Amino acid sequence: MSRLLNILLVSALAGTPVTWAQSPRAVSNKNTTKAEAPVTPGAAQSPKTEEDCGCESQVLPEAFAIVNGVRISRKDIEDQLRGPRVQLQRQVIEARKRELDLQVNSKLVALEAARRSVSVTKLLEVEVVSKVTEPTETEARAFYEQNKKRIEGEFPDVRNDITRYLRDEREHAEAKKFAERLRSTGGNKVKILEAASAQPASDRARVFATVNQERITSADIEDSLRPLVYEVQQQIYKLRQSALDLKINDTLLEQEAQKRKITTDSLVVAEIKPMNITEEAARAFYDQNRERVSGEFPQTKDHIIQYLQQDALRKAELAFVEKLRRVATIETFLVAPQPPVFNIATDDQPSLGDAAAPVTIIAFTDYQCPSCASTQPVLEKLLNEYEGRVRLVVRDFPLEQHKDAFKAAEAAEAAREQGKYWEYTALLLQNQPALGVESLKQYAGKLGLDRQKFDAALDSSKFAEKVQRDLWEGVGYGVNSTPALFINGRRLTNNSYESLKAATEAALKAAADISLPTVKRSAGKG
């Protein structure tokens, strides 16, 4: 059940099929040097007209940079990025159109669960999961043979990935049938008043649909899309920044060439000399990268030498441009998008520190995740440094690839029920290779917990619904990896101690500024 709401409500109930391109094994070319975005069937690849998703976080400056007095305009950069930018923005446009279906179906599922007096997880277990047959090895093998050209690795290496993909496909199909049944049920009244448009509605209270009198507004749709919008903003910012860096480099080379009264090509030839790559160097590269190179050394030697020469030229050109940058006057005006601030619930969650602290760090964690284990001491160090001013709250986010993580999260809740959460999770993080059910019970015994009560909670999945709720809410905040850290509701992109400390200081300063009283000065004399 650890994947259920993520797959069914995000994918199936929204009408979006799971595609093999989303699998970690879906690699068709071992020699590919750049990651390529997966293509979803039916998605527009080359739109005839450019649609604006309305997801720019700021007004773009007319000049992106000034290099030694030479202006690099917004148009210089935007024109060359139009294709990839439009493709990214279409992700938001298509998601906005799908989101209404997701909101309707989610409400129908919640209403049906309430009618039956069961949890949403239990309802989906009965109506979807129990109706899915596990893919056989024969079916997995047949899929592999049909798609061999698109799959990296031999069948034994990818069998589990294929089985999971086929199971997800079947869950999607069953969930879609269930959603259709709920829509056609006489007791449910669904009214779609209008389709969601490419851009967000100017009025957040605008009603797009009602489900048994419950309204779905523009605010509901846009708030759900905030993580995706921010992700697209980040990707577009990185594209712009990369293109701007290249344009600055080209401008500096052109300016230096003009100064010397030669062409840019002549400047490059004069300053950047080709490097002689020996056969020994090529052999060393081949030995270090044998798994990535297709073919034996004699057949690939010339290609390797050519690649190393080009790489050396590129590095030499970057080093020369860096020298030019050091003596140049460069102003840049691109500003990175700010991550959205989420109002993340902290009630009934394990926490350390003063509940009234001005800064709250929320960590979505997976007890089988090595990065979570290495980040925990960093978080505790910050709590000690900022005692009384920082609070830590932990929420569960067991990842699908960690088979024991979901049950470990349940076990942590069972230990919290007996007042030993932090001691128990410390054992989990120290023993990540051994988190099977029997090991989880043994750790409870080591801490002197009531084993009968603990074992009963674990065996009955008493806390599965709580873990599942954390998982689903985390998806809503854009969490897709762990540890995912939020400081006062804002997601961190770097989990290092230095980054956490800087973000904590900024949050403390912001909290202090908000709490300062406004002092009105008298206009009188004196």
Side-chain angles (χ1 to χ4, degrees), residues 12-219:
L13 295 182
T16 307
V18 179
T19 66
W20 177 250
Q22 295 164 345
S23 165
R25 294 287 187 174
V27 180
S28 60
N29 184 354
K30 292 183 181 180
N31 297 321
T32 299
T33 56
K34 291 184 179 179
E36 297 179 356
V39 176
T40 302
Q45 299 307 308
S46 301
K48 292 180 181 178
T49 58
E50 181 176 338
E51 288 184 89
D52 181 10
C53 65
C55 46
E56 289 285 0
S57 61
Q58 56 193 305
V59 176
L60 292 174
E62 286 300 320
F64 276 13
I66 298 175
V67 182
N68 292 329
V70 174
R71 185 173 176 268
I72 298 176
S73 72
R74 177 175 68 190
K75 189 174 186 302
D76 292 334
I77 304 301
E78 291 297 277
D79 283 354
Q80 63 178 292
L81 296 180
R82 175 166 294 175
R85 177 171 53 78
V86 169
Q87 217 171 21
L88 284 167
Q89 289 177 330
R90 281 203 66 80
Q91 292 181 24
V92 177
I93 292 168
E94 295 303 322
R96 188 172 283 127
K97 292 173 181 176
R98 291 194 306 267
E99 183 65 22
L100 185 57
D101 264 347
L102 171 58
Q103 297 261 346
V104 168
N105 290 341
S106 297
K107 283 188 180 296
L108 288 171
V109 169
L111 287 168
E112 184 64 16
R115 282 193 196 104
R116 300 191 195 183
S117 299
V118 297
S119 67
V120 168
T121 302
K122 184 64 179 175
L123 175 65
L124 292 175
E125 207 173 47
V126 171
E127 294 291 345
V128 178
V129 176
S130 66
K131 297 179 181 180
V132 172
T133 57
E134 188 71 12
T136 65
E137 182 160 345
T138 301
E139 289 169 329
R141 169 75 73 175
F143 179 90
Y144 175 79
E145 295 299 333
Q146 291 168 8
N147 298 274
K148 192 182 292 186
K149 291 181 180 178
R150 300 165 53 209
I151 300 173
E152 179 184 358
E154 297 302 315
F155 178 70
D157 302 322
V158 299
R159 178 174 49 207
N160 291 339
D161 289 309
I162 292 173
T163 300
R164 183 166 58 246
Y165 165 73
L166 293 174
R167 187 194 310 116
D168 290 349
E169 263 195 333
R170 293 174 185 184
E171 286 178 349
H172 168 82
E174 286 296 337
K176 187 177 180 182
K177 288 180 195 173
F178 182 46
E180 288 169 353
R181 289 201 304 274
L182 290 177
R183 283 189 181 230
S184 62
T185 300
N188 291 323
K189 293 181 181 178
V190 177
K191 290 183 181 178
I192 305 296
L193 305 178
E194 62 176 295
S197 59
Q199 288 198 359
S202 56
D203 178 11
R204 280 174 58 86
R206 188 168 170 178
V207 180
F208 285 98
T210 60
V211 179
N212 292 2
Q213 305 304 315
E214 286 190 42
R215 299 184 303 169
I216 298 173
T217 66
S218 175

Side-chain angles (χ1 to χ4, degrees), residues 237-281:
Y237 169 75
K238 288 174 183 175
L239 283 174
R240 286 172 175 151
Q241 189 64 61
S242 179
L244 180 60
D245 280 339
L246 289 175
K247 186 67 175 175
I248 290 172
N249 291 351
D250 289 344
T251 302
L252 288 169
L253 289 171
E254 289 167 9
Q255 290 175 343
E256 184 65 18
Q258 288 171 4
K259 199 183 295 180
R260 300 189 192 187
K261 297 186 170 142
I262 58 176
T263 66
T264 305
D265 288 343
S266 298
L267 173 67
V268 171
V269 169
E271 292 290 340
I272 302 162
K273 307 297 183 186
M275 181 180 290
N276 181 39
I277 305 297
T278 64
E279 185 171 326
E280 289 75 17

Side-chain angles (χ1 to χ4, degrees), residues 443-463:
Y443 302 146
K446 284 184 179 180
L447 293 175
L449 300 182
D450 181 334
R451 276 291 302 273
Q452 187 175 356
K453 184 177 180 181
F454 180 93
D455 292 3
L458 203 58
D459 293 339
S460 66
S461 298
K462 178 178 180 179
F463 297 102

